[in-house]
Amino acid sequence: MQQFLDWLNGHFAAFGQSFYDNLIRDDRWKLILEGFGNTLFIAAVATLIGILLGVVVGIIRVSHAQSGKYKILNAICGVYLTVIRGTPVVVQLMILYYIVFASAPLEASIYVAALSFGINSGAYVAEIIRAGILSIDRGQTEAGRSLGLSQGQTMRKIVLPQAIKNILPALFNEFIVLLKETSVAGYVGIRDLTKASDIIRSRTWSAFFPLLTIALIYLVVVVGLTKVQKIIERRLSQSDNR
């Protein structure tokens, strides 16, 4: 029995020492905190860029399908969707960082990453927007036109507000997916959560605590955001039933 207790105490001591070496010693927890802040920044900015791009591309594609206008713009959007949806996000990130913005200062890398993830997200948001617009009854558009509104005014004042309400949960889910996708930002030297764990692991030669810590952070954030998403969906469904 005493041997078992000694063995257990030894493992607890080793566990505590590993925790101290990986997160406490030399304030290594600050690397995790910095990485978490960079991850949130990239995800938030990329989401805004993705929504702006997605709305523009989605409206162009729907308008072309309904009226036959904007042929050139629709063709450009088609190429954009094909290329972005057909290539890995990490490859897009490296092309933007090492080729397009190769001469940019090192401090701008986080903005390049946010732009890259935003462009990638925009391709998926565009399809969400397009599906949301198509879910609105065609009679809404005809009613707007009969009131003297132009096609653009009808889209902006009547169709889009209803479509956004329908697709809000999907857009929120896109943010959650984007948050996890930013874990590859370390490929261009950005100190995000994953990169922070790699730095700690390279100094302590221990992978357990660094990886477990960032996995736990991602899990807590995603679970929290998922709960917020469910609350939004519940309130939207309640408003629909009124």
Side-chain angles (χ1 to χ4, degrees), residues 28-46 110-111 113-114 175 178-179 182-183 185 190-197 214 217-218 221:
R28 286 170 181 154
W29 61 271
K30 291 183 178 180
L31 293 172
I32 300 291
L33 187 62
E34 179 189 357
F36 183 53
N38 289 338
T39 293
L40 290 180
F41 176 82
I42 294 172
V45 175
I110 191 170
Y111 301 102
F175 173 71
L178 189 59
L179 180 70
T182 59
S183 60
I190 296 173
R191 195 173 289 182
D192 67 323
L193 265 178
T194 306
K195 187 65 175 180
S197 74
I214 67 164
I217 291 173
Y218 275 119
V221 172

PDB file of all heavy atoms in Angstrom, residues 28-46 110-111 113-114 175 178-179 182-183 185 190-197 214 217-218 221:
ATOM      1  N   ARG A  28       5.000  31.663 -19.156  1.00  0.00           N
ATOM      2  CA  ARG A  28       4.644  31.086 -20.454  1.00  0.00           C
ATOM      3  C   ARG A  28       3.146  31.137 -20.726  1.00  0.00           C
ATOM      4  O   ARG A  28       2.713  31.012 -21.876  1.00  0.00           O
ATOM      5  CB  ARG A  28       5.161  29.644 -20.533  1.00  0.00           C
ATOM      6  CG  ARG A  28       6.677  29.604 -20.727  1.00  0.00           C
ATOM      7  CD  ARG A  28       7.275  28.243 -20.579  1.00  0.00           C
ATOM      8  NE  ARG A  28       8.732  28.319 -20.749  1.00  0.00           N
ATOM      9  CZ  ARG A  28       9.586  27.470 -20.234  1.00  0.00           C
ATOM     10  NH1 ARG A  28       9.148  26.442 -19.500  1.00  0.00           N
ATOM     11  NH2 ARG A  28      10.890  27.611 -20.418  1.00  0.00           N
ATOM     12  N   TRP A  29       2.356  31.311 -19.686  1.00  0.00           N
ATOM     13  CA  TRP A  29       0.914  31.459 -19.880  1.00  0.00           C
ATOM     14  C   TRP A  29       0.597  32.710 -20.691  1.00  0.00           C
ATOM     15  O   TRP A  29      -0.450  32.783 -21.354  1.00  0.00           O
ATOM     16  CB  TRP A  29       0.202  31.523 -18.523  1.00  0.00           C
ATOM     17  CG  TRP A  29       0.631  32.680 -17.661  1.00  0.00           C
ATOM     18  CD1 TRP A  29       1.655  32.691 -16.764  1.00  0.00           C
ATOM     19  CD2 TRP A  29       0.062  33.992 -17.636  1.00  0.00           C
ATOM     20  NE1 TRP A  29       1.774  33.924 -16.166  1.00  0.00           N
ATOM     21  CE2 TRP A  29       0.801  34.740 -16.685  1.00  0.00           C
ATOM     22  CE3 TRP A  29      -0.995  34.598 -18.303  1.00  0.00           C
ATOM     23  CZ2 TRP A  29       0.512  36.070 -16.402  1.00  0.00           C
ATOM     24  CZ3 TRP A  29      -1.288  35.921 -18.019  1.00  0.00           C
ATOM     25  CH2 TRP A  29      -0.540  36.650 -17.093  1.00  0.00           C
ATOM     26  N   LYS A  30       1.521  33.688 -20.672  1.00  0.00           N
ATOM     27  CA  LYS A  30       1.297  34.906 -21.451  1.00  0.00           C
ATOM     28  C   LYS A  30       1.335  34.625 -22.947  1.00  0.00           C
ATOM     29  O   LYS A  30       0.678  35.318 -23.732  1.00  0.00           O
ATOM     30  CB  LYS A  30       2.338  35.968 -21.083  1.00  0.00           C
ATOM     31  CG  LYS A  30       2.168  36.531 -19.683  1.00  0.00           C
ATOM     32  CD  LYS A  30       3.178  37.629 -19.403  1.00  0.00           C
ATOM     33  CE  LYS A  30       2.975  38.220 -18.002  1.00  0.00           C
ATOM     34  NZ  LYS A  30       3.963  39.290 -17.712  1.00  0.00           N
ATOM     35  N   LEU A  31       2.113  33.605 -23.341  1.00  0.00           N
ATOM     36  CA  LEU A  31       2.120  33.201 -24.756  1.00  0.00           C
ATOM     37  C   LEU A  31       0.747  32.696 -25.167  1.00  0.00           C
ATOM     38  O   LEU A  31       0.261  32.998 -26.263  1.00  0.00           O
ATOM     39  CB  LEU A  31       3.178  32.115 -24.978  1.00  0.00           C
ATOM     40  CG  LEU A  31       4.645  32.526 -24.812  1.00  0.00           C
ATOM     41  CD1 LEU A  31       5.547  31.292 -24.873  1.00  0.00           C
ATOM     42  CD2 LEU A  31       5.036  33.526 -25.888  1.00  0.00           C
ATOM     43  N   ILE A  32       0.126  31.907 -24.286  1.00  0.00           N
ATOM     44  CA  ILE A  32      -1.217  31.399 -24.560  1.00  0.00           C
ATOM     45  C   ILE A  32      -2.211  32.553 -24.645  1.00  0.00           C
ATOM     46  O   ILE A  32      -3.062  32.600 -25.545  1.00  0.00           O
ATOM     47  CB  ILE A  32      -1.656  30.403 -23.465  1.00  0.00           C
ATOM     48  CG1 ILE A  32      -0.698  29.194 -23.405  1.00  0.00           C
ATOM     49  CG2 ILE A  32      -3.087  29.957 -23.681  1.00  0.00           C
ATOM     50  CD1 ILE A  32      -0.789  28.285 -24.594  1.00  0.00           C
ATOM     51  N   LEU A  33      -2.092  33.501 -23.715  1.00  0.00           N
ATOM     52  CA  LEU A  33      -3.000  34.650 -23.702  1.00  0.00           C
ATOM     53  C   LEU A  33      -2.840  35.496 -24.961  1.00  0.00           C
ATOM     54  O   LEU A  33      -3.839  35.922 -25.566  1.00  0.00           O
ATOM     55  CB  LEU A  33      -2.732  35.493 -22.449  1.00  0.00           C
ATOM     56  CG  LEU A  33      -3.712  36.639 -22.182  1.00  0.00           C
ATOM     57  CD1 LEU A  33      -5.119  36.096 -21.952  1.00  0.00           C
ATOM     58  CD2 LEU A  33      -3.261  37.453 -20.968  1.00  0.00           C
ATOM     59  N   GLU A  34      -1.596  35.742 -25.359  1.00  0.00           N
ATOM     60  CA  GLU A  34      -1.348  36.506 -26.582  1.00  0.00           C
ATOM     61  C   GLU A  34      -1.900  35.765 -27.804  1.00  0.00           C
ATOM     62  O   GLU A  34      -2.519  36.361 -28.685  1.00  0.00           O
ATOM     63  CB  GLU A  34       0.152  36.746 -26.752  1.00  0.00           C
ATOM     64  CG  GLU A  34       0.502  37.516 -28.016  1.00  0.00           C
ATOM     65  CD  GLU A  34       1.997  37.550 -28.285  1.00  0.00           C
ATOM     66  OE1 GLU A  34       2.760  37.022 -27.448  1.00  0.00           O
ATOM     67  OE2 GLU A  34       2.398  38.093 -29.332  1.00  0.00           O
ATOM     68  N   GLY A  35      -1.657  34.465 -27.854  1.00  0.00           N
ATOM     69  CA  GLY A  35      -2.155  33.671 -28.972  1.00  0.00           C
ATOM     70  C   GLY A  35      -3.670  33.671 -29.046  1.00  0.00           C
ATOM     71  O   GLY A  35      -4.252  33.736 -30.133  1.00  0.00           O
ATOM     72  N   PHE A  36      -4.309  33.606 -27.885  1.00  0.00           N
ATOM     73  CA  PHE A  36      -5.773  33.625 -27.849  1.00  0.00           C
ATOM     74  C   PHE A  36      -6.312  34.959 -28.373  1.00  0.00           C
ATOM     75  O   PHE A  36      -7.278  35.001 -29.142  1.00  0.00           O
ATOM     76  CB  PHE A  36      -6.246  33.384 -26.422  1.00  0.00           C
ATOM     77  CG  PHE A  36      -7.741  33.316 -26.271  1.00  0.00           C
ATOM     78  CD1 PHE A  36      -8.496  32.463 -27.053  1.00  0.00           C
ATOM     79  CD2 PHE A  36      -8.393  34.114 -25.341  1.00  0.00           C
ATOM     80  CE1 PHE A  36      -9.879  32.399 -26.917  1.00  0.00           C
ATOM     81  CE2 PHE A  36      -9.762  34.062 -25.199  1.00  0.00           C
ATOM     82  CZ  PHE A  36     -10.513  33.205 -25.992  1.00  0.00           C
ATOM     83  N   GLY A  37      -5.665  36.049 -27.975  1.00  0.00           N
ATOM     84  CA  GLY A  37      -6.084  37.363 -28.465  1.00  0.00           C
ATOM     85  C   GLY A  37      -5.914  37.483 -29.968  1.00  0.00           C
ATOM     86  O   GLY A  37      -6.808  38.005 -30.663  1.00  0.00           O
ATOM     87  N   ASN A  38      -4.803  36.988 -30.499  1.00  0.00           N
ATOM     88  CA  ASN A  38      -4.577  37.030 -31.945  1.00  0.00           C
ATOM     89  C   ASN A  38      -5.585  36.167 -32.696  1.00  0.00           C
ATOM     90  O   ASN A  38      -6.064  36.536 -33.770  1.00  0.00           O
ATOM     91  CB  ASN A  38      -3.154  36.569 -32.268  1.00  0.00           C
ATOM     92  CG  ASN A  38      -2.104  37.578 -31.849  1.00  0.00           C
ATOM     93  OD1 ASN A  38      -2.395  38.767 -31.693  1.00  0.00           O
ATOM     94  ND2 ASN A  38      -0.881  37.125 -31.647  1.00  0.00           N
ATOM     95  N   THR A  39      -5.901  35.020 -32.123  1.00  0.00           N
ATOM     96  CA  THR A  39      -6.887  34.133 -32.746  1.00  0.00           C
ATOM     97  C   THR A  39      -8.251  34.803 -32.840  1.00  0.00           C
ATOM     98  O   THR A  39      -8.915  34.769 -33.894  1.00  0.00           O
ATOM     99  CB  THR A  39      -7.008  32.820 -31.947  1.00  0.00           C
ATOM    100  OG1 THR A  39      -5.788  32.084 -32.069  1.00  0.00           O
ATOM    101  CG2 THR A  39      -8.147  31.959 -32.468  1.00  0.00           C
ATOM    102  N   LEU A  40      -8.682  35.426 -31.745  1.00  0.00           N
ATOM    103  CA  LEU A  40      -9.970  36.120 -31.747  1.00  0.00           C
ATOM    104  C   LEU A  40      -9.976  37.294 -32.723  1.00  0.00           C
ATOM    105  O   LEU A  40     -10.965  37.532 -33.429  1.00  0.00           O
ATOM    106  CB  LEU A  40     -10.307  36.607 -30.339  1.00  0.00           C
ATOM    107  CG  LEU A  40     -10.658  35.547 -29.299  1.00  0.00           C
ATOM    108  CD1 LEU A  40     -10.960  36.204 -27.957  1.00  0.00           C
ATOM    109  CD2 LEU A  40     -11.844  34.704 -29.752  1.00  0.00           C
ATOM    110  N   PHE A  41      -8.863  38.036 -32.772  1.00  0.00           N
ATOM    111  CA  PHE A  41      -8.774  39.184 -33.684  1.00  0.00           C
ATOM    112  C   PHE A  41      -8.891  38.732 -35.132  1.00  0.00           C
ATOM    113  O   PHE A  41      -9.664  39.299 -35.914  1.00  0.00           O
ATOM    114  CB  PHE A  41      -7.448  39.923 -33.469  1.00  0.00           C
ATOM    115  CG  PHE A  41      -7.228  41.057 -34.425  1.00  0.00           C
ATOM    116  CD1 PHE A  41      -7.799  42.298 -34.204  1.00  0.00           C
ATOM    117  CD2 PHE A  41      -6.450  40.879 -35.569  1.00  0.00           C
ATOM    118  CE1 PHE A  41      -7.611  43.346 -35.094  1.00  0.00           C
ATOM    119  CE2 PHE A  41      -6.250  41.916 -36.465  1.00  0.00           C
ATOM    120  CZ  PHE A  41      -6.831  43.154 -36.225  1.00  0.00           C
ATOM    121  N   ILE A  42      -8.117  37.709 -35.498  1.00  0.00           N
ATOM    122  CA  ILE A  42      -8.151  37.214 -36.876  1.00  0.00           C
ATOM    123  C   ILE A  42      -9.547  36.718 -37.236  1.00  0.00           C
ATOM    124  O   ILE A  42     -10.073  37.024 -38.318  1.00  0.00           O
ATOM    125  CB  ILE A  42      -7.115  36.085 -37.064  1.00  0.00           C
ATOM    126  CG1 ILE A  42      -5.698  36.642 -36.920  1.00  0.00           C
ATOM    127  CG2 ILE A  42      -7.284  35.425 -38.429  1.00  0.00           C
ATOM    128  CD1 ILE A  42      -4.626  35.561 -36.900  1.00  0.00           C
ATOM    129  N   ALA A  43     -10.165  35.962 -36.336  1.00  0.00           N
ATOM    130  CA  ALA A  43     -11.494  35.413 -36.607  1.00  0.00           C
ATOM    131  C   ALA A  43     -12.535  36.517 -36.741  1.00  0.00           C
ATOM    132  O   ALA A  43     -13.394  36.464 -37.639  1.00  0.00           O
ATOM    133  CB  ALA A  43     -11.894  34.440 -35.507  1.00  0.00           C
ATOM    134  N   ALA A  44     -12.475  37.529 -35.880  1.00  0.00           N
ATOM    135  CA  ALA A  44     -13.464  38.606 -35.913  1.00  0.00           C
ATOM    136  C   ALA A  44     -13.338  39.436 -37.185  1.00  0.00           C
ATOM    137  O   ALA A  44     -14.335  39.708 -37.880  1.00  0.00           O
ATOM    138  CB  ALA A  44     -13.308  39.497 -34.685  1.00  0.00           C
ATOM    139  N   VAL A  45     -12.111  39.841 -37.528  1.00  0.00           N
ATOM    140  CA  VAL A  45     -11.891  40.648 -38.736  1.00  0.00           C
ATOM    141  C   VAL A  45     -12.230  39.838 -39.986  1.00  0.00           C
ATOM    142  O   VAL A  45     -12.865  40.346 -40.926  1.00  0.00           O
ATOM    143  CB  VAL A  45     -10.441  41.161 -38.795  1.00  0.00           C
ATOM    144  CG1 VAL A  45     -10.179  41.890 -40.109  1.00  0.00           C
ATOM    145  CG2 VAL A  45     -10.157  42.094 -37.622  1.00  0.00           C
ATOM    146  N   ALA A  46     -11.817  38.575 -40.005  1.00  0.00           N
ATOM    147  CA  ALA A  46     -12.099  37.716 -41.154  1.00  0.00           C
ATOM    148  C   ALA A  46     -13.600  37.518 -41.340  1.00  0.00           C
ATOM    149  O   ALA A  46     -14.098  37.458 -42.476  1.00  0.00           O
ATOM    150  CB  ALA A  46     -11.413  36.367 -40.986  1.00  0.00           C
ATOM    151  N   ILE A 110      -0.498  39.629 -39.279  1.00  0.00           N
ATOM    152  CA  ILE A 110      -1.796  39.293 -38.690  1.00  0.00           C
ATOM    153  C   ILE A 110      -2.936  39.841 -39.541  1.00  0.00           C
ATOM    154  O   ILE A 110      -4.002  39.225 -39.659  1.00  0.00           O
ATOM    155  CB  ILE A 110      -1.887  39.806 -37.236  1.00  0.00           C
ATOM    156  CG1 ILE A 110      -3.118  39.217 -36.545  1.00  0.00           C
ATOM    157  CG2 ILE A 110      -1.916  41.329 -37.189  1.00  0.00           C
ATOM    158  CD1 ILE A 110      -3.145  39.486 -35.050  1.00  0.00           C
ATOM    159  N   TYR A 111      -2.699  41.001 -40.192  1.00  0.00           N
ATOM    160  CA  TYR A 111      -3.727  41.583 -41.058  1.00  0.00           C
ATOM    161  C   TYR A 111      -3.830  40.806 -42.370  1.00  0.00           C
ATOM    162  O   TYR A 111      -4.924  40.646 -42.917  1.00  0.00           O
ATOM    163  CB  TYR A 111      -3.414  43.054 -41.329  1.00  0.00           C
ATOM    164  CG  TYR A 111      -3.333  43.887 -40.072  1.00  0.00           C
ATOM    165  CD1 TYR A 111      -2.104  44.261 -39.531  1.00  0.00           C
ATOM    166  CD2 TYR A 111      -4.488  44.276 -39.404  1.00  0.00           C
ATOM    167  CE1 TYR A 111      -2.025  45.007 -38.366  1.00  0.00           C
ATOM    168  CE2 TYR A 111      -4.419  45.027 -38.231  1.00  0.00           C
ATOM    169  CZ  TYR A 111      -3.181  45.378 -37.719  1.00  0.00           C
ATOM    170  OH  TYR A 111      -3.122  46.123 -36.561  1.00  0.00           O
ATOM    171  N   ALA A 113      -3.239  37.636 -42.614  1.00  0.00           N
ATOM    172  CA  ALA A 113      -3.952  36.412 -42.252  1.00  0.00           C
ATOM    173  C   ALA A 113      -5.454  36.663 -42.155  1.00  0.00           C
ATOM    174  O   ALA A 113      -6.262  35.860 -42.644  1.00  0.00           O
ATOM    175  CB  ALA A 113      -3.423  35.874 -40.926  1.00  0.00           C
ATOM    176  N   ALA A 114      -5.842  37.776 -41.523  1.00  0.00           N
ATOM    177  CA  ALA A 114      -7.268  38.101 -41.408  1.00  0.00           C
ATOM    178  C   ALA A 114      -7.888  38.281 -42.785  1.00  0.00           C
ATOM    179  O   ALA A 114      -9.010  37.819 -43.042  1.00  0.00           O
ATOM    180  CB  ALA A 114      -7.446  39.374 -40.580  1.00  0.00           C
ATOM    181  N   PHE A 175     -18.808  31.668 -38.254  1.00  0.00           N
ATOM    182  CA  PHE A 175     -17.820  32.277 -37.363  1.00  0.00           C
ATOM    183  C   PHE A 175     -17.150  31.215 -36.492  1.00  0.00           C
ATOM    184  O   PHE A 175     -15.937  31.256 -36.268  1.00  0.00           O
ATOM    185  CB  PHE A 175     -18.473  33.338 -36.482  1.00  0.00           C
ATOM    186  CG  PHE A 175     -17.560  33.903 -35.428  1.00  0.00           C
ATOM    187  CD1 PHE A 175     -16.517  34.743 -35.772  1.00  0.00           C
ATOM    188  CD2 PHE A 175     -17.734  33.578 -34.087  1.00  0.00           C
ATOM    189  CE1 PHE A 175     -15.660  35.254 -34.809  1.00  0.00           C
ATOM    190  CE2 PHE A 175     -16.890  34.086 -33.114  1.00  0.00           C
ATOM    191  CZ  PHE A 175     -15.848  34.932 -33.484  1.00  0.00           C
ATOM    192  N   LEU A 178     -14.784  29.330 -38.662  1.00  0.00           N
ATOM    193  CA  LEU A 178     -13.642  30.190 -38.977  1.00  0.00           C
ATOM    194  C   LEU A 178     -12.682  30.291 -37.797  1.00  0.00           C
ATOM    195  O   LEU A 178     -11.462  30.315 -37.969  1.00  0.00           O
ATOM    196  CB  LEU A 178     -14.148  31.580 -39.374  1.00  0.00           C
ATOM    197  CG  LEU A 178     -13.127  32.571 -39.937  1.00  0.00           C
ATOM    198  CD1 LEU A 178     -12.473  31.999 -41.187  1.00  0.00           C
ATOM    199  CD2 LEU A 178     -13.809  33.888 -40.261  1.00  0.00           C
ATOM    200  N   LEU A 179     -13.229  30.353 -36.599  1.00  0.00           N
ATOM    201  CA  LEU A 179     -12.399  30.437 -35.396  1.00  0.00           C
ATOM    202  C   LEU A 179     -11.458  29.235 -35.304  1.00  0.00           C
ATOM    203  O   LEU A 179     -10.277  29.375 -34.952  1.00  0.00           O
ATOM    204  CB  LEU A 179     -13.288  30.514 -34.155  1.00  0.00           C
ATOM    205  CG  LEU A 179     -12.571  30.605 -32.807  1.00  0.00           C
ATOM    206  CD1 LEU A 179     -11.897  31.966 -32.660  1.00  0.00           C
ATOM    207  CD2 LEU A 179     -13.546  30.384 -31.656  1.00  0.00           C
ATOM    208  N   THR A 182      -8.545  29.190 -38.054  1.00  0.00           N
ATOM    209  CA  THR A 182      -7.401  30.078 -37.854  1.00  0.00           C
ATOM    210  C   THR A 182      -6.233  29.370 -37.176  1.00  0.00           C
ATOM    211  O   THR A 182      -5.161  29.958 -37.030  1.00  0.00           O
ATOM    212  CB  THR A 182      -7.799  31.300 -36.996  1.00  0.00           C
ATOM    213  OG1 THR A 182      -8.294  30.862 -35.719  1.00  0.00           O
ATOM    214  CG2 THR A 182      -8.866  32.120 -37.685  1.00  0.00           C
ATOM    215  N   SER A 183      -6.424  28.137 -36.761  1.00  0.00           N
ATOM    216  CA  SER A 183      -5.348  27.390 -36.099  1.00  0.00           C
ATOM    217  C   SER A 183      -4.167  27.130 -37.031  1.00  0.00           C
ATOM    218  O   SER A 183      -3.105  26.709 -36.566  1.00  0.00           O
ATOM    219  CB  SER A 183      -5.883  26.058 -35.557  1.00  0.00           C
ATOM    220  OG  SER A 183      -6.395  25.256 -36.600  1.00  0.00           O
ATOM    221  N   ALA A 185      -2.833  29.558 -38.820  1.00  0.00           N
ATOM    222  CA  ALA A 185      -2.165  30.847 -39.023  1.00  0.00           C
ATOM    223  C   ALA A 185      -0.679  30.780 -38.681  1.00  0.00           C
ATOM    224  O   ALA A 185       0.121  31.577 -39.175  1.00  0.00           O
ATOM    225  CB  ALA A 185      -2.841  31.931 -38.186  1.00  0.00           C
ATOM    226  N   ILE A 190       2.518  33.592 -37.434  1.00  0.00           N
ATOM    227  CA  ILE A 190       1.666  34.349 -36.520  1.00  0.00           C
ATOM    228  C   ILE A 190       1.520  33.575 -35.217  1.00  0.00           C
ATOM    229  O   ILE A 190       1.274  32.375 -35.220  1.00  0.00           O
ATOM    230  CB  ILE A 190       0.282  34.605 -37.146  1.00  0.00           C
ATOM    231  CG1 ILE A 190       0.437  35.485 -38.378  1.00  0.00           C
ATOM    232  CG2 ILE A 190      -0.660  35.267 -36.142  1.00  0.00           C
ATOM    233  CD1 ILE A 190      -0.828  35.666 -39.164  1.00  0.00           C
ATOM    234  N   ARG A 191       1.646  34.270 -34.112  1.00  0.00           N
ATOM    235  CA  ARG A 191       1.596  33.616 -32.803  1.00  0.00           C
ATOM    236  C   ARG A 191       0.145  33.490 -32.347  1.00  0.00           C
ATOM    237  O   ARG A 191      -0.311  34.199 -31.449  1.00  0.00           O
ATOM    238  CB  ARG A 191       2.424  34.407 -31.795  1.00  0.00           C
ATOM    239  CG  ARG A 191       2.731  33.647 -30.528  1.00  0.00           C
ATOM    240  CD  ARG A 191       3.689  34.402 -29.633  1.00  0.00           C
ATOM    241  NE  ARG A 191       5.044  34.440 -30.159  1.00  0.00           N
ATOM    242  CZ  ARG A 191       6.073  35.017 -29.536  1.00  0.00           C
ATOM    243  NH1 ARG A 191       5.887  35.606 -28.373  1.00  0.00           N
ATOM    244  NH2 ARG A 191       7.275  35.007 -30.074  1.00  0.00           N
ATOM    245  N   ASP A 192      -0.590  32.576 -32.979  1.00  0.00           N
ATOM    246  CA  ASP A 192      -1.952  32.303 -32.552  1.00  0.00           C
ATOM    247  C   ASP A 192      -1.901  31.241 -31.451  1.00  0.00           C
ATOM    248  O   ASP A 192      -0.831  30.926 -30.938  1.00  0.00           O
ATOM    249  CB  ASP A 192      -2.805  31.835 -33.733  1.00  0.00           C
ATOM    250  CG  ASP A 192      -2.367  30.468 -34.247  1.00  0.00           C
ATOM    251  OD1 ASP A 192      -1.149  30.215 -34.259  1.00  0.00           O
ATOM    252  OD2 ASP A 192      -3.236  29.670 -34.615  1.00  0.00           O
ATOM    253  N   LEU A 193      -3.039  30.692 -31.089  1.00  0.00           N
ATOM    254  CA  LEU A 193      -3.074  29.698 -30.015  1.00  0.00           C
ATOM    255  C   LEU A 193      -2.204  28.480 -30.323  1.00  0.00           C
ATOM    256  O   LEU A 193      -1.415  28.032 -29.490  1.00  0.00           O
ATOM    257  CB  LEU A 193      -4.519  29.252 -29.778  1.00  0.00           C
ATOM    258  CG  LEU A 193      -5.296  29.957 -28.666  1.00  0.00           C
ATOM    259  CD1 LEU A 193      -6.726  29.430 -28.612  1.00  0.00           C
ATOM    260  CD2 LEU A 193      -4.609  29.786 -27.325  1.00  0.00           C
ATOM    261  N   THR A 194      -2.342  27.951 -31.520  1.00  0.00           N
ATOM    262  CA  THR A 194      -1.590  26.744 -31.878  1.00  0.00           C
ATOM    263  C   THR A 194      -0.092  27.018 -31.917  1.00  0.00           C
ATOM    264  O   THR A 194       0.714  26.205 -31.447  1.00  0.00           O
ATOM    265  CB  THR A 194      -2.061  26.210 -33.243  1.00  0.00           C
ATOM    266  OG1 THR A 194      -3.478  26.014 -33.214  1.00  0.00           O
ATOM    267  CG2 THR A 194      -1.389  24.888 -33.573  1.00  0.00           C
ATOM    268  N   LYS A 195       0.274  28.173 -32.466  1.00  0.00           N
ATOM    269  CA  LYS A 195       1.694  28.540 -32.532  1.00  0.00           C
ATOM    270  C   LYS A 195       2.255  28.734 -31.125  1.00  0.00           C
ATOM    271  O   LYS A 195       3.409  28.365 -30.854  1.00  0.00           O
ATOM    272  CB  LYS A 195       1.866  29.816 -33.345  1.00  0.00           C
ATOM    273  CG  LYS A 195       3.323  30.183 -33.618  1.00  0.00           C
ATOM    274  CD  LYS A 195       3.993  29.151 -34.507  1.00  0.00           C
ATOM    275  CE  LYS A 195       5.387  29.578 -34.884  1.00  0.00           C
ATOM    276  NZ  LYS A 195       6.057  28.578 -35.743  1.00  0.00           N
ATOM    277  N   ALA A 196       1.460  29.314 -30.240  1.00  0.00           N
ATOM    278  CA  ALA A 196       1.904  29.508 -28.856  1.00  0.00           C
ATOM    279  C   ALA A 196       2.216  28.169 -28.192  1.00  0.00           C
ATOM    280  O   ALA A 196       3.206  28.027 -27.467  1.00  0.00           O
ATOM    281  CB  ALA A 196       0.835  30.252 -28.058  1.00  0.00           C
ATOM    282  N   SER A 197       1.380  27.175 -28.441  1.00  0.00           N
ATOM    283  CA  SER A 197       1.637  25.847 -27.862  1.00  0.00           C
ATOM    284  C   SER A 197       2.902  25.239 -28.447  1.00  0.00           C
ATOM    285  O   SER A 197       3.650  24.550 -27.746  1.00  0.00           O
ATOM    286  CB  SER A 197       0.441  24.925 -28.103  1.00  0.00           C
ATOM    287  OG  SER A 197       0.379  24.500 -29.454  1.00  0.00           O
ATOM    288  N   ILE A 214      -4.564  24.450 -25.150  1.00  0.00           N
ATOM    289  CA  ILE A 214      -5.217  25.142 -26.270  1.00  0.00           C
ATOM    290  C   ILE A 214      -6.449  24.383 -26.742  1.00  0.00           C
ATOM    291  O   ILE A 214      -7.434  24.991 -27.172  1.00  0.00           O
ATOM    292  CB  ILE A 214      -4.240  25.382 -27.431  1.00  0.00           C
ATOM    293  CG1 ILE A 214      -3.815  24.063 -28.085  1.00  0.00           C
ATOM    294  CG2 ILE A 214      -3.039  26.182 -26.992  1.00  0.00           C
ATOM    295  CD1 ILE A 214      -3.175  24.251 -29.441  1.00  0.00           C
ATOM    296  N   ILE A 217      -9.150  25.451 -24.437  1.00  0.00           N
ATOM    297  CA  ILE A 217      -9.591  26.820 -24.729  1.00  0.00           C
ATOM    298  C   ILE A 217     -10.519  26.828 -25.934  1.00  0.00           C
ATOM    299  O   ILE A 217     -11.595  27.439 -25.914  1.00  0.00           O
ATOM    300  CB  ILE A 217      -8.381  27.736 -24.962  1.00  0.00           C
ATOM    301  CG1 ILE A 217      -7.604  27.941 -23.660  1.00  0.00           C
ATOM    302  CG2 ILE A 217      -8.832  29.101 -25.512  1.00  0.00           C
ATOM    303  CD1 ILE A 217      -6.310  28.703 -23.833  1.00  0.00           C
ATOM    304  N   TYR A 218     -10.106  26.148 -27.015  1.00  0.00           N
ATOM    305  CA  TYR A 218     -10.961  26.060 -28.207  1.00  0.00           C
ATOM    306  C   TYR A 218     -12.311  25.435 -27.851  1.00  0.00           C
ATOM    307  O   TYR A 218     -13.365  25.920 -28.284  1.00  0.00           O
ATOM    308  CB  TYR A 218     -10.290  25.223 -29.296  1.00  0.00           C
ATOM    309  CG  TYR A 218      -9.336  25.975 -30.177  1.00  0.00           C
ATOM    310  CD1 TYR A 218      -7.988  25.631 -30.235  1.00  0.00           C
ATOM    311  CD2 TYR A 218      -9.773  27.030 -30.981  1.00  0.00           C
ATOM    312  CE1 TYR A 218      -7.105  26.325 -31.059  1.00  0.00           C
ATOM    313  CE2 TYR A 218      -8.893  27.712 -31.808  1.00  0.00           C
ATOM    314  CZ  TYR A 218      -7.565  27.359 -31.844  1.00  0.00           C
ATOM    315  OH  TYR A 218      -6.696  28.044 -32.660  1.00  0.00           O
ATOM    316  N   VAL A 221     -14.544  27.882 -25.805  1.00  0.00           N
ATOM    317  CA  VAL A 221     -15.044  28.983 -26.642  1.00  0.00           C
ATOM    318  C   VAL A 221     -16.116  28.491 -27.611  1.00  0.00           C
ATOM    319  O   VAL A 221     -17.170  29.112 -27.763  1.00  0.00           O
ATOM    320  CB  VAL A 221     -13.880  29.636 -27.415  1.00  0.00           C
ATOM    321  CG1 VAL A 221     -14.414  30.655 -28.425  1.00  0.00           C
ATOM    322  CG2 VAL A 221     -12.922  30.317 -26.456  1.00  0.00           C
TER     323      VAL A 221
END
